[in-house]
Amino acid sequence: MKRADVARLTALERKALLEELAAMVATGELGLGEASRILRSAMLGMDRKTFAKAMKLSTSVLATLEDDPNANPTIETLNKVFAPFGGKVALAFPRLEEPPPLDDEKLRRREMLRAALAKSRRRRRSAGA
């Protein structure tokens, strides 16, 4: 998923993509850092330095969030990172019943998000090498 692909989505399609990303975080399929990386790189097309500056965060705080699965960001940091997308940190409890199976559209959105994460990781590795 490229920034141009996201730009072609309707507002409802972008909202559905964001909701699917949140669902993946809620189920543990993605971590908060991975969600941050997807949103920053694929949705906004921004590098870390630019995004961190815009969000009034240090680049190292953003890098730790995105790269360290054991990162322990503050709620303030998370709210700053997810605010441009309409997101905020909230308390949620897991569902007691099994969720319904994913339809083809949700499966497609999840695959797009996973591909965006994989692409941003490859780009980061090649830039750091």
Side-chain angles (χ1 to χ4, degrees):
M1 178 171 58
K2 297 177 184 171
R3 175 72 180 112
D5 298 330
V6 173
R8 284 191 288 274
L9 297 175
T10 67
L12 286 176
E13 289 170 329
R14 277 192 299 277
K15 183 177 184 320
L17 199 60
L18 291 170
E19 288 173 352
E20 202 58 45
L21 184 72
M24 293 171 78
V25 170
T27 62
E29 195 172 334
L30 288 176
L32 290 167
E34 293 169 319
S36 171
R37 181 191 303 264
I38 290 169
L39 293 170
R40 173 188 55 76
S41 64
M43 299 286 259
L44 295 179
M46 294 176 99
D47 62 42
R48 280 186 183 162
K49 185 176 180 181
T50 304
F51 184 75
K53 185 176 180 179
M55 297 302 103
K56 297 184 169 106
L57 292 169
S58 74
T59 305
S60 65
V61 166
L62 185 59
T64 300
L65 171 64
E66 291 184 356
D67 294 339
D68 183 356
N70 297 314
N72 190 16
T74 65
I75 291 174
E76 179 183 5
T77 295
L78 293 172
N79 281 329
K80 284 181 179 182
V81 168
F82 296 118
F85 312 98
K88 62 182 174 180
V89 176
L91 177 63
F93 295 98
R95 298 172 64 142
L96 294 177
E97 69 278 355
E98 284 291 317
L102 299 174
D103 61 25
D104 289 343
E105 187 61 27
K106 286 185 179 183
L107 288 171
R108 185 185 66 76
R109 282 194 296 264
R110 285 188 181 207
E111 191 49 45
M112 284 176 57
L113 292 166
R114 282 189 207 97
L117 178 62
K119 183 178 179 182
S120 72
R121 284 182 177 153
R122 282 193 303 273
R123 192 170 46 239
R124 180 77 182 150
R125 278 191 211 115
S126 64

